[in-house]
Amino acid sequence: MNDYGLIREAWSEAERHYIGSIDDAVSRNDWADRKRFITLSRISEYAYFVLLWGQFEAFINDKAFEAEGDNAGELGFMLRVQLTVSPTHEYYREIDQYYYWRCEIAHGRMSEFPELTLPTIFDRIEEITEAIEKNPLPLGEDFIDLFINK
C-alpha cells in the first residue's frame, strides 16, 4: 500500500496556497514577497517529491525482499530496482533519474527538476508502481531471457 494519492493531494493544497500568495504579492507590487513565495513553493515541491520517493523506495524494497529475502538488504537501491525492472527498460532509466534528484535534494544540493513537473512525476511513479505490481518478472525481461539465455 502507498499513499501517493494523499501526498499528491497535500502537495496540491500547499501549491494552491503558494499560487494564491504569489498572485496576491503581484497585485500589491510586492516583488520581494513574490520571490519569497516562489522559493517556498519550490522548497515545498522538493519536500513532497522526497516524501513521494520514500513511498516508492519502500515499495521497491518490499519487492526486492520478496524476490531475494534478507539478501536484498545487502544490495544498493538501484540493484534492488533491477530485481523488478531490467536496466534496459525505460522505467529503469527514469527511476535512476528520480533517485539522482532525490539524493541531490536530500543532501542539500537542491536543483530544478529540468524535465518534468511534480504532477508528471506523481503520474509516472504511479504508472511504474502499477506496472511492477502487475508483472511477476522484472519489467523488460521475458521468460527466455531470464531462464534460458542466462
Side-chain angles (χ1 to χ4, degrees):
M1 185 187 126
N2 64 59
D3 292 323
Y4 299 158
L6 287 173
I7 296 167
R8 180 192 294 251
E9 184 179 349
W11 171 78
S12 293
E13 286 295 321
E15 191 61 12
R16 271 193 284 281
H17 166 75
Y18 289 121
I19 289 169
S21 297
I22 291 165
D23 290 346
D24 182 55
V26 168
S27 71
R28 292 182 285 108
N29 289 324
D30 188 339
W31 305 111
D33 229 17
R34 176 187 170 274
K35 183 177 180 180
R36 184 173 71 88
F37 283 116
I38 288 172
T39 300
L40 291 174
S41 173
R42 180 52 97 188
I43 290 169
S44 173
E45 185 174 52
Y46 294 150
Y48 283 103
F49 172 75
V50 171
L51 187 57
L52 171 67
W53 180 262
Q55 292 282 303
F56 181 71
E57 188 169 352
F59 167 74
I60 291 294
N61 290 341
D62 289 348
K63 292 298 181 183
F65 279 94
E66 284 175 22
E68 290 293 314
D70 289 339
N71 293 334
E74 305 287 322
L75 302 174
F77 179 72
M78 290 309 294
L79 289 174
R80 282 179 263 144
V81 170
Q82 287 183 31
L83 296 172
T84 61
V85 179
S86 169
T88 61
H89 197 281
E90 71 178 88
Y91 288 159
Y92 183 87
R93 291 183 294 278
E94 219 172 320
I95 293 166
D96 190 43
Q97 179 66 64
Y98 297 152
Y99 184 54
Y100 171 77
W101 288 341
R102 173 261 177 224
C103 291
E104 288 291 297
I105 292 166
H107 296 284
R109 294 181 300 271
M110 295 190 281
S111 58
E112 301 290 322
F113 299 132
E115 298 161 13
L116 300 173
T117 62
L118 194 54
T120 302
I121 294 170
F122 273 110
D123 291 343
R124 297 298 292 160
I125 291 290
E126 288 172 349
E127 178 183 320
I128 293 167
T129 299
E130 287 176 24
I132 291 170
E133 285 179 335
K134 291 178 184 176
N135 194 335
L137 300 174
L139 293 171
E141 299 276 354
D142 61 23
F143 181 82
I144 303 242
D145 286 343
L146 254 164
F147 298 103
I148 297 175
N149 291 334
K150 292 193 177 177

